[in-house]
Amino acid sequence: MHLKQGPRRIGQGLSAAVETLGQMSHYRTMPRTKMNPRVFWGASLIIGLLLAVAIAAPGESDRLFQAAQGWVIETFGWFYVASVAGFLMVVLFLALGPTGALKLGPDDSEPDFPYLSWLAMLFAAGMGIGLMYFAVAEPIQHYASPPEARTQTFDAAREAMVITFTHWGVHAWAIYALVGLSLAYFAHRKGLPLTLRSGLAPLLGKRIDGPIGDAVDVFAICGTLFGIATSLGLGVSQINAGLNYLTGLPNTPWMQVGLIVLVMAGATASVLTGLDKGVRRLSELNLVLAVLLMLFVLAFGPTAFLLKALVQNFGLYLDHFFVRTFNLYAYEPRGWMANWTLFYWAWWIAWSPFVGMFIARISRGRTVREFVIGVLLVPTGFTFLWMTVFGNTAISLDMGVAAGAISNAVTADLSTALFRFFEELPGTAITSTLAVTLVAVFFVTSADSGSLVIDTIASGGADDTPRWQRVYWCSLEGLAAALLLLAGGLGALQAATLVAALPFAVIMILLAAGLVRQMNADVAGRTVETEGPPLAEKLKRILSPATRRDIERQIDQVGAPALETVRQGLAAEGLEAEVSREATGLSLLATSGAGTAFHYHLEARERPRPALTALEAPERHRAKEWRMTARSDDVARVRDVTGFTQTQIVNDVLDHLHRWRTV
């Protein structure tokens, strides 16, 4: 019997494991590289072509982008709305069903961060330029020009807050949760690269290594870059408006381009000079200042009214939840949908690889249920508080002492809304200066972190890429924002984002299908363990990184029995197999009568602790940890199997034996 023909039966339990893992049997990862040329240059070419159009004919390109936006809305507006509703249903289904108990990592893995620290990082992920730009502008805009209610009435005020909550609530975070969950599950539990293509492995198998996988990553890069460019455009327009208010600096497109150059220079400096700790501390300070700014408005605004409004806004949000989720104004078409709801859904989809990768990196060891509930509720809760404090205060002032002045300012220029709002509160110059500073730092950190995420995707999941690559993507983000601002202002940025997000929405549907398929297979095939690792080992994993001795003990106590189980199963099939101790670890070698052989090797390897954000120190300066790794003849990449149980290692051996046999 030839080993290449595969075992017919390696014990009843082992055969079940092969069937359970069959969905992944055709996937074969690429060698780790610093750049995937097809993805890197393919995405660059598409982005370059779009920007070339903007350069060649600014006026025509604006009309082209607007025409493309109109076509997408007319043809696929329903698709955006249905997709976002579906994404929310999928993540809730995965969280509340049996799959909710699955770990984002091996079954006995523990979270990398304490619960409160993890929640705090999710809270930080929800902060950004958007909240600064739209905190006053959106509620006032809906109050002044609501889609249904009579303008500038109490009904308009109520509708304004319901719409704002819908756009910034669980729908947005369901999009992020789906991408983050796919990245975390396949990277932390399945040991695949931290790229979008890994989530399609259950559906496409080894074809994910070819043009299909490249296309997935290319569209992810394009959507992310235009989403970041839109945020940068919003940020720089608000900085310009603030400086115009404070110093009289001209508020023009060319001035905004100059500001983009200055701020992107700061982001590039953080990449080149390694100002990681300084920028990280500045970012943390930024978050504290943002919260203090919100508390200032809460204290000096109509405090009692705001607390009552927060409760009522949430109740109205729940009451209108399903209507707003599926509303398309099909019977009464209006352009409002394109400018608001559809733009937001496209913007969140475009941003999802960025935010998704961040929350995936910090969530190893969490259960699916913990992940989904935390991601949906924590940032949403803070956002609701933020929007109520700024939005309801602005509406209250506009209906009272401001006498419509805030509404008029927003109608004239959205970017001036926050500064006109501060005129009605004490300390106007201080709060306006603080707001400009907050937006500028958010600008720098978003550009720097965004370049890291894009570069990770373009490099096949590589964690520590050359700095020039991050500088390249950082520069391209700034260039895209500048050229699209010149081509048509924020309207062109908005149109480009909406169009670029369309193909990635299709990819997200495939990610959802692959995730559901793989998780259900894992639930169906999971064996209940009667005992786990000793308590002392579990506590040690929580309190400190694994040492070499920890991993060598894991190889002896878990890996050796697992490889021996497979050896006995192969021997029962008449195949020659041997488990041997080597200088670098433990190996299983199976040989057929024809002389063909399969090799599976476990060993302890040292590596830097993974970066969580772009603000982490470079790889060579980070603290080290030891991991149990596996390699086999079917793939070139070394896989992290730290914390795997005996059953999981047996399943991993059989999975790769099957791949080796069929490739």
Side-chain angles (χ1 to χ4, degrees), residues 13-34:
L14 302 185
S15 297
V18 170
E19 183 177 355
T20 299
L21 294 173
Q23 306 297 338
M24 299 285 292
S25 64
H26 294 296
Y27 183 80
R28 197 172 43 168
T29 58
M30 296 181 300
R32 178 187 172 97
T33 62
K34 296 301 183 184

PDB file of all heavy atoms in Angstrom, residues 13-34:
ATOM      1  N   GLY A  13     -11.717   7.572  15.439  1.00  0.00           N
ATOM      2  CA  GLY A  13     -11.615   8.988  15.815  1.00  0.00           C
ATOM      3  C   GLY A  13     -10.765   9.772  14.845  1.00  0.00           C
ATOM      4  O   GLY A  13     -11.074  10.911  14.506  1.00  0.00           O
ATOM      5  N   LEU A  14      -9.659   9.175  14.339  1.00  0.00           N
ATOM      6  CA  LEU A  14      -8.787   9.894  13.422  1.00  0.00           C
ATOM      7  C   LEU A  14      -9.453  10.094  12.070  1.00  0.00           C
ATOM      8  O   LEU A  14      -9.285  11.120  11.430  1.00  0.00           O
ATOM      9  CB  LEU A  14      -7.465   9.133  13.258  1.00  0.00           C
ATOM     10  CG  LEU A  14      -6.683   8.896  14.549  1.00  0.00           C
ATOM     11  CD1 LEU A  14      -5.353   8.236  14.226  1.00  0.00           C
ATOM     12  CD2 LEU A  14      -6.459  10.199  15.275  1.00  0.00           C
ATOM     13  N   SER A  15     -10.232   9.130  11.622  1.00  0.00           N
ATOM     14  CA  SER A  15     -10.952   9.288  10.351  1.00  0.00           C
ATOM     15  C   SER A  15     -11.953  10.428  10.449  1.00  0.00           C
ATOM     16  O   SER A  15     -12.140  11.199   9.509  1.00  0.00           O
ATOM     17  CB  SER A  15     -11.676   7.986   9.993  1.00  0.00           C
ATOM     18  OG  SER A  15     -10.749   6.954   9.800  1.00  0.00           O
ATOM     19  N   ALA A  16     -12.623  10.535  11.605  1.00  0.00           N
ATOM     20  CA  ALA A  16     -13.564  11.641  11.799  1.00  0.00           C
ATOM     21  C   ALA A  16     -12.843  12.980  11.745  1.00  0.00           C
ATOM     22  O   ALA A  16     -13.364  13.959  11.222  1.00  0.00           O
ATOM     23  CB  ALA A  16     -14.287  11.481  13.141  1.00  0.00           C
ATOM     24  N   ALA A  17     -11.632  12.986  12.277  1.00  0.00           N
ATOM     25  CA  ALA A  17     -10.863  14.237  12.250  1.00  0.00           C
ATOM     26  C   ALA A  17     -10.535  14.647  10.829  1.00  0.00           C
ATOM     27  O   ALA A  17     -10.586  15.819  10.473  1.00  0.00           O
ATOM     28  CB  ALA A  17      -9.584  14.090  13.063  1.00  0.00           C
ATOM     29  N   VAL A  18     -10.169  13.675   9.980  1.00  0.00           N
ATOM     30  CA  VAL A  18      -9.879  13.975   8.578  1.00  0.00           C
ATOM     31  C   VAL A  18     -11.103  14.571   7.897  1.00  0.00           C
ATOM     32  O   VAL A  18     -11.034  15.549   7.165  1.00  0.00           O
ATOM     33  CB  VAL A  18      -9.412  12.714   7.828  1.00  0.00           C
ATOM     34  CG1 VAL A  18      -9.342  12.977   6.339  1.00  0.00           C
ATOM     35  CG2 VAL A  18      -8.065  12.273   8.338  1.00  0.00           C
ATOM     36  N   GLU A  19     -12.275  13.970   8.163  1.00  0.00           N
ATOM     37  CA  GLU A  19     -13.495  14.465   7.533  1.00  0.00           C
ATOM     38  C   GLU A  19     -13.823  15.877   8.013  1.00  0.00           C
ATOM     39  O   GLU A  19     -14.214  16.745   7.231  1.00  0.00           O
ATOM     40  CB  GLU A  19     -14.657  13.528   7.869  1.00  0.00           C
ATOM     41  CG  GLU A  19     -15.968  13.929   7.195  1.00  0.00           C
ATOM     42  CD  GLU A  19     -17.068  12.925   7.491  1.00  0.00           C
ATOM     43  OE1 GLU A  19     -16.778  11.900   8.119  1.00  0.00           O
ATOM     44  OE2 GLU A  19     -18.206  13.185   7.097  1.00  0.00           O
ATOM     45  N   THR A  20     -13.627  16.125   9.312  1.00  0.00           N
ATOM     46  CA  THR A  20     -13.910  17.442   9.868  1.00  0.00           C
ATOM     47  C   THR A  20     -13.036  18.510   9.254  1.00  0.00           C
ATOM     48  O   THR A  20     -13.475  19.619   8.943  1.00  0.00           O
ATOM     49  CB  THR A  20     -13.695  17.426  11.391  1.00  0.00           C
ATOM     50  OG1 THR A  20     -14.589  16.479  11.962  1.00  0.00           O
ATOM     51  CG2 THR A  20     -13.951  18.797  12.000  1.00  0.00           C
ATOM     52  N   LEU A  21     -11.770  18.177   9.048  1.00  0.00           N
ATOM     53  CA  LEU A  21     -10.823  19.163   8.531  1.00  0.00           C
ATOM     54  C   LEU A  21     -10.741  19.161   7.018  1.00  0.00           C
ATOM     55  O   LEU A  21      -9.915  19.848   6.443  1.00  0.00           O
ATOM     56  CB  LEU A  21      -9.427  18.910   9.116  1.00  0.00           C
ATOM     57  CG  LEU A  21      -9.328  19.137  10.626  1.00  0.00           C
ATOM     58  CD1 LEU A  21      -7.973  18.699  11.128  1.00  0.00           C
ATOM     59  CD2 LEU A  21      -9.576  20.573  10.970  1.00  0.00           C
ATOM     60  N   GLY A  22     -11.587  18.420   6.359  1.00  0.00           N
ATOM     61  CA  GLY A  22     -11.529  18.323   4.907  1.00  0.00           C
ATOM     62  C   GLY A  22     -11.735  19.634   4.198  1.00  0.00           C
ATOM     63  O   GLY A  22     -11.263  19.840   3.081  1.00  0.00           O
ATOM     64  N   GLN A  23     -12.473  20.561   4.858  1.00  0.00           N
ATOM     65  CA  GLN A  23     -12.729  21.846   4.210  1.00  0.00           C
ATOM     66  C   GLN A  23     -11.445  22.622   3.950  1.00  0.00           C
ATOM     67  O   GLN A  23     -11.383  23.462   3.069  1.00  0.00           O
ATOM     68  CB  GLN A  23     -13.663  22.693   5.088  1.00  0.00           C
ATOM     69  CG  GLN A  23     -14.971  22.012   5.474  1.00  0.00           C
ATOM     70  CD  GLN A  23     -15.822  21.708   4.270  1.00  0.00           C
ATOM     71  OE1 GLN A  23     -15.663  22.336   3.239  1.00  0.00           O
ATOM     72  NE2 GLN A  23     -16.729  20.752   4.389  1.00  0.00           N
ATOM     73  N   MET A  24     -10.396  22.355   4.759  1.00  0.00           N
ATOM     74  CA  MET A  24      -9.152  23.098   4.634  1.00  0.00           C
ATOM     75  C   MET A  24      -8.081  22.321   3.887  1.00  0.00           C
ATOM     76  O   MET A  24      -6.959  22.784   3.746  1.00  0.00           O
ATOM     77  CB  MET A  24      -8.600  23.426   6.040  1.00  0.00           C
ATOM     78  CG  MET A  24      -9.527  24.279   6.874  1.00  0.00           C
ATOM     79  SD  MET A  24      -9.520  25.981   6.338  1.00  0.00           S
ATOM     80  CE  MET A  24      -7.867  26.425   6.810  1.00  0.00           C
ATOM     81  N   SER A  25      -8.419  21.170   3.363  1.00  0.00           N
ATOM     82  CA  SER A  25      -7.380  20.248   2.909  1.00  0.00           C
ATOM     83  C   SER A  25      -6.633  20.724   1.679  1.00  0.00           C
ATOM     84  O   SER A  25      -5.534  20.258   1.413  1.00  0.00           O
ATOM     85  CB  SER A  25      -8.003  18.885   2.615  1.00  0.00           C
ATOM     86  OG  SER A  25      -8.922  18.995   1.555  1.00  0.00           O
ATOM     87  N   HIS A  26      -7.206  21.638   0.927  1.00  0.00           N
ATOM     88  CA  HIS A  26      -6.527  22.060  -0.306  1.00  0.00           C
ATOM     89  C   HIS A  26      -5.774  23.373  -0.148  1.00  0.00           C
ATOM     90  O   HIS A  26      -5.207  23.878  -1.110  1.00  0.00           O
ATOM     91  CB  HIS A  26      -7.547  22.207  -1.443  1.00  0.00           C
ATOM     92  CG  HIS A  26      -8.164  20.895  -1.821  1.00  0.00           C
ATOM     93  ND1 HIS A  26      -7.450  19.861  -2.360  1.00  0.00           N
ATOM     94  CD2 HIS A  26      -9.439  20.464  -1.698  1.00  0.00           C
ATOM     95  CE1 HIS A  26      -8.266  18.832  -2.592  1.00  0.00           C
ATOM     96  NE2 HIS A  26      -9.460  19.189  -2.188  1.00  0.00           N
ATOM     97  N   TYR A  27      -5.795  23.918   1.063  1.00  0.00           N
ATOM     98  CA  TYR A  27      -5.133  25.218   1.242  1.00  0.00           C
ATOM     99  C   TYR A  27      -3.634  25.031   1.435  1.00  0.00           C
ATOM    100  O   TYR A  27      -3.199  24.184   2.182  1.00  0.00           O
ATOM    101  CB  TYR A  27      -5.715  25.945   2.455  1.00  0.00           C
ATOM    102  CG  TYR A  27      -5.121  27.306   2.625  1.00  0.00           C
ATOM    103  CD1 TYR A  27      -5.571  28.364   1.853  1.00  0.00           C
ATOM    104  CD2 TYR A  27      -4.092  27.521   3.524  1.00  0.00           C
ATOM    105  CE1 TYR A  27      -5.021  29.619   1.980  1.00  0.00           C
ATOM    106  CE2 TYR A  27      -3.529  28.775   3.654  1.00  0.00           C
ATOM    107  CZ  TYR A  27      -4.012  29.809   2.878  1.00  0.00           C
ATOM    108  OH  TYR A  27      -3.455  31.057   3.021  1.00  0.00           O
ATOM    109  N   ARG A  28      -2.873  25.819   0.768  1.00  0.00           N
ATOM    110  CA  ARG A  28      -1.424  25.755   0.883  1.00  0.00           C
ATOM    111  C   ARG A  28      -0.895  27.180   0.946  1.00  0.00           C
ATOM    112  O   ARG A  28      -1.117  27.977   0.049  1.00  0.00           O
ATOM    113  CB  ARG A  28      -0.847  25.034  -0.332  1.00  0.00           C
ATOM    114  CG  ARG A  28       0.556  24.552  -0.139  1.00  0.00           C
ATOM    115  CD  ARG A  28       0.960  23.687  -1.296  1.00  0.00           C
ATOM    116  NE  ARG A  28       0.541  24.241  -2.558  1.00  0.00           N
ATOM    117  CZ  ARG A  28       0.972  23.782  -3.728  1.00  0.00           C
ATOM    118  NH1 ARG A  28       1.799  22.784  -3.787  1.00  0.00           N
ATOM    119  NH2 ARG A  28       0.541  24.331  -4.851  1.00  0.00           N
ATOM    120  N   THR A  29      -0.238  27.526   2.023  1.00  0.00           N
ATOM    121  CA  THR A  29       0.174  28.907   2.209  1.00  0.00           C
ATOM    122  C   THR A  29       1.434  29.224   1.436  1.00  0.00           C
ATOM    123  O   THR A  29       2.232  28.353   1.135  1.00  0.00           O
ATOM    124  CB  THR A  29       0.438  29.183   3.695  1.00  0.00           C
ATOM    125  OG1 THR A  29       1.444  28.275   4.135  1.00  0.00           O
ATOM    126  CG2 THR A  29      -0.812  28.989   4.524  1.00  0.00           C
ATOM    127  N   MET A  30       1.596  30.499   1.133  1.00  0.00           N
ATOM    128  CA  MET A  30       2.787  30.968   0.440  1.00  0.00           C
ATOM    129  C   MET A  30       3.923  31.145   1.430  1.00  0.00           C
ATOM    130  O   MET A  30       3.694  31.386   2.607  1.00  0.00           O
ATOM    131  CB  MET A  30       2.498  32.312  -0.232  1.00  0.00           C
ATOM    132  CG  MET A  30       1.456  32.255  -1.313  1.00  0.00           C
ATOM    133  SD  MET A  30       1.254  33.892  -2.028  1.00  0.00           S
ATOM    134  CE  MET A  30       0.765  34.827  -0.606  1.00  0.00           C
ATOM    135  N   PRO A  31       5.124  31.051   0.980  1.00  0.00           N
ATOM    136  CA  PRO A  31       6.252  31.361   1.860  1.00  0.00           C
ATOM    137  C   PRO A  31       6.147  32.808   2.341  1.00  0.00           C
ATOM    138  O   PRO A  31       5.697  33.681   1.614  1.00  0.00           O
ATOM    139  CB  PRO A  31       7.482  31.182   0.961  1.00  0.00           C
ATOM    140  CG  PRO A  31       7.016  30.318  -0.158  1.00  0.00           C
ATOM    141  CD  PRO A  31       5.561  30.643  -0.356  1.00  0.00           C
ATOM    142  N   ARG A  32       6.575  33.016   3.559  1.00  0.00           N
ATOM    143  CA  ARG A  32       6.553  34.366   4.132  1.00  0.00           C
ATOM    144  C   ARG A  32       7.520  35.257   3.364  1.00  0.00           C
ATOM    145  O   ARG A  32       8.687  34.917   3.209  1.00  0.00           O
ATOM    146  CB  ARG A  32       6.948  34.295   5.606  1.00  0.00           C
ATOM    147  CG  ARG A  32       7.007  35.644   6.305  1.00  0.00           C
ATOM    148  CD  ARG A  32       7.566  35.423   7.692  1.00  0.00           C
ATOM    149  NE  ARG A  32       7.828  36.674   8.366  1.00  0.00           N
ATOM    150  CZ  ARG A  32       7.012  37.247   9.227  1.00  0.00           C
ATOM    151  NH1 ARG A  32       5.871  36.677   9.485  1.00  0.00           N
ATOM    152  NH2 ARG A  32       7.332  38.383   9.823  1.00  0.00           N
ATOM    153  N   THR A  33       7.032  36.369   2.878  1.00  0.00           N
ATOM    154  CA  THR A  33       7.876  37.316   2.153  1.00  0.00           C
ATOM    155  C   THR A  33       7.595  38.714   2.668  1.00  0.00           C
ATOM    156  O   THR A  33       6.620  38.957   3.369  1.00  0.00           O
ATOM    157  CB  THR A  33       7.592  37.282   0.642  1.00  0.00           C
ATOM    158  OG1 THR A  33       6.232  37.668   0.426  1.00  0.00           O
ATOM    159  CG2 THR A  33       7.829  35.909   0.068  1.00  0.00           C
ATOM    160  N   LYS A  34       8.461  39.653   2.323  1.00  0.00           N
ATOM    161  CA  LYS A  34       8.265  41.037   2.700  1.00  0.00           C
ATOM    162  C   LYS A  34       7.362  41.764   1.717  1.00  0.00           C
ATOM    163  O   LYS A  34       6.956  42.878   1.972  1.00  0.00           O
ATOM    164  CB  LYS A  34       9.620  41.750   2.796  1.00  0.00           C
ATOM    165  CG  LYS A  34      10.527  41.193   3.887  1.00  0.00           C
ATOM    166  CD  LYS A  34       9.900  41.292   5.263  1.00  0.00           C
ATOM    167  CE  LYS A  34      10.846  40.797   6.341  1.00  0.00           C
ATOM    168  NZ  LYS A  34      10.226  40.805   7.675  1.00  0.00           N
TER     169      LYS A  34
END
